């Protein structure tokens, strides 16, 4: 017997039992067979990369006819609902912060693998399905454990850069679809039609690289970490939070560079983020019973 989990434009997902273990059975929807196959190939690629086994959902098995795949079942759901996981668990304020910091760091860990930084011959992959905002982006991740660790799950729209799709600087790139993005879309500047005086023509649109994922990082980090710092009644002003905010602003300036070649890599961002959150982790661990982010 199976129980429905969700259905999207590419596949239907159901909880099933295999050899006594809960798994997720994903079945391709007929109009999206090609996208489903892309997702299977992306998972195979990412699982094989060094570090991929800890930051990407494992592919337990797949079939071509019918097009199905099996992955582990994660009962905590997707990362865009992390706040609900924290609320249901009844975490203390300190634990809630630690969970959110772990989630943010593992999101960056996933980008490091996705962008090919752990394997010399790996082509960078790009998260194309995120134009609706950080919530949509994080819906592609699952909460893998109660401590907030995330795994990248939905890679149906995570193409690898290709030499057949060149950027203006000649680098291999991708295109996230073949339509013009709206002003409200959560997309990097290079993804927008550059000719305001001309109608959009897909053939005239240039390609772009994994640096579009870097452009989205600041808002995604705020989505994950911000609620633990800003939405608790009575949380006192803190030097630690002020320092974190200043460093986040500086990181945002780097990630939001209009020239994508000037943006940092996922490895650089992760290094800076780890330094940013180290004082917050220390403070959270210092007093788990009566947690206050106060300056020493």
């Amino acid at each position: 017997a199976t129980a429905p989990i969700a259905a999207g434009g590419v596949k239907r997902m159901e909880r099933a039992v295999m050899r006594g273990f809960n798994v997720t059975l994903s079945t391709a929807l007929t109009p999206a067979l090609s996208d489903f196959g892309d997702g299977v190939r992306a998972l195979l690629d990412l699982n094989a990369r060094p570090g991929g086994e800890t930051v990407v959902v494992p592919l337990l098995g797949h079939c071509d006819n019918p097009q199905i795949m099996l992955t582990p079942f994660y009962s905590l759901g997707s990362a865009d609902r992390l706040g609900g996981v924290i609320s249901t668990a009844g975490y203390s304020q300190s634990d809630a912060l630690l969970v959110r910091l772990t989630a943010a760091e593992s999101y960056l860990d996933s980008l490091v693998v996705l962008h090919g930084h752990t394997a010399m011959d790996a082509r960078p992959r790009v998260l194309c399905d995120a134009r609706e905002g950080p919530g949509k982006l994080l819906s592609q991740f699952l909460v893998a454990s109660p401590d907030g660790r995330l795994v990248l799950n939905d890679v149906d729209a995570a193409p690898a850069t290709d030499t057949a799709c060149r950027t203006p600087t000649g680098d291999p790139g991708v295109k996230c679809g073949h339509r013009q993005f709206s002003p409200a879309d959560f997309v990097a500047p290079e993804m927008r039609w550059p000719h305001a005086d001309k109608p959009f023509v897909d053939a005239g649109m240039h390609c772009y690289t994994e640096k579009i994922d870097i452009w989205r990082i600041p808002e995604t980090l705020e989505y994950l970490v911000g609620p633990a710092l800003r939405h608790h009644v009575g949380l006192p002003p803190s030097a630690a939070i002020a320092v974190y905010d200043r460093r986040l602003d500086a990181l945002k300036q780097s990630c939001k560079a209009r020239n994508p070649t000037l943006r940092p890599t996922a490895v650089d961002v992760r290094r800076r983020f780890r330094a940013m959150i180290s004082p917050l982790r220390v403070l959270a661990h210092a007093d788990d019973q009566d947690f206050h982010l106060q300056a020493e």
Side-chain angles (χ1 to χ4, degrees):
T2 61
I5 298 173
V10 174
K11 57 184 178 286
R12 179 180 69 254
M13 291 161 285
E14 302 165 290
R15 183 170 64 176
V17 177
M18 183 180 71
R19 297 176 182 173
F21 293 96
N22 285 323
V23 296
T24 297
L25 170 65
S26 298
T27 305
L29 300 179
T30 302
L33 295 179
S34 175
D35 289 341
F36 186 89
D38 290 343
V40 170
R41 286 185 288 274
L43 277 183
L44 288 169
D45 173 26
L46 294 170
N47 282 175
R49 296 184 182 188
E53 69 280 357
T54 61
V55 300
V56 180
V57 66
L59 180 61
L60 303 177
H62 67 97
C63 295
D64 293 329
N65 187 22
Q67 282 200 313
I68 60 172
M69 66 177 175
L70 290 174
T71 55
F73 174 73
Y74 294 89
S75 61
L76 296 176
S78 56
D80 58 318
R81 300 175 180 175
L82 182 63
V85 173
I86 291 171
S87 178
T88 300
Y91 288 126
S92 67
Q93 189 171 315
S94 57
D95 285 340
L97 175 58
L98 290 171
V99 166
R100 288 184 174 278
L101 293 177
T102 297
E105 190 171 358
S106 58
Y107 152 66
L108 296 177
D109 289 339
S110 295
L111 289 187
V112 169
V113 172
L114 188 77
H115 291 177
H117 294 300
T118 63
M120 291 293 292
D121 58 345
R123 288 188 295 164
R125 288 185 174 273
V126 179
L127 293 176
C128 275
D129 193 8
R131 65 181 178 85
E132 290 90 346
K136 174 60 176 176
L137 188 156
L138 288 169
S139 72
Q140 298 168 86
F141 291 77
L142 295 173
V143 183
S145 59
D147 67 353
R149 185 175 66 86
L150 307 183
V151 289
L152 178 58
N153 174 61
D154 186 352
V155 291
D156 298 333
T161 56
D162 195 324
T163 55
C165 189
R166 296 284 184 175
T167 70
T169 57
D171 297 313
V174 301
K175 275 187 186 178
C176 293
H178 301 281
R179 66 170 187 81
Q180 185 173 11
F181 291 106
S182 76
D185 285 338
F186 184 50
V187 296
E190 63 268 28
M191 300 173 72
R192 300 191 181 279
W193 177 243
H195 308 295
D197 58 335
K198 299 178 182 178
F200 176 81
V201 179
D202 181 56
M205 183 66 197
H206 53 68
C207 300
Y208 29 81
T209 70
E210 72 279 5
K211 290 300 183 74
I212 69 171
D213 288 334
I214 303 299
W215 187 89
R216 295 176 170 130
I217 286 176
E219 289 88 347
T220 308
L221 293 179
E222 180 62 19
Y223 187 104
L224 288 169
V225 179
L229 303 180
R230 316 191 198 292
H231 302 320
H232 286 282
V233 176
L235 185 67
S238 166
I241 294 177
V243 169
Y244 172 84
D245 284 343
R246 285 198 299 272
R247 291 177 175 176
L248 183 62
D249 284 342
L251 181 64
K252 181 175 182 178
Q253 292 299 316
S254 299
C255 293
K256 294 293 186 182
R258 290 196 64 82
N259 182 345
T261 64
L262 299 180
R263 294 175 202 150
T265 65
V267 172
D268 294 332
V269 173
R270 183 178 64 178
R271 174 184 54 79
R272 291 172 65 176
F273 184 72
R274 285 174 172 171
M276 288 165 54
I277 66 175
S278 180
L280 297 179
R281 285 192 181 278
V282 171
L283 286 168
H285 282 298
D287 190 353
D288 191 48
Q289 300 301 314
D290 184 19
F291 175 62
H292 296 288
L293 287 177
Q294 296 175 337
E296 293 294 330

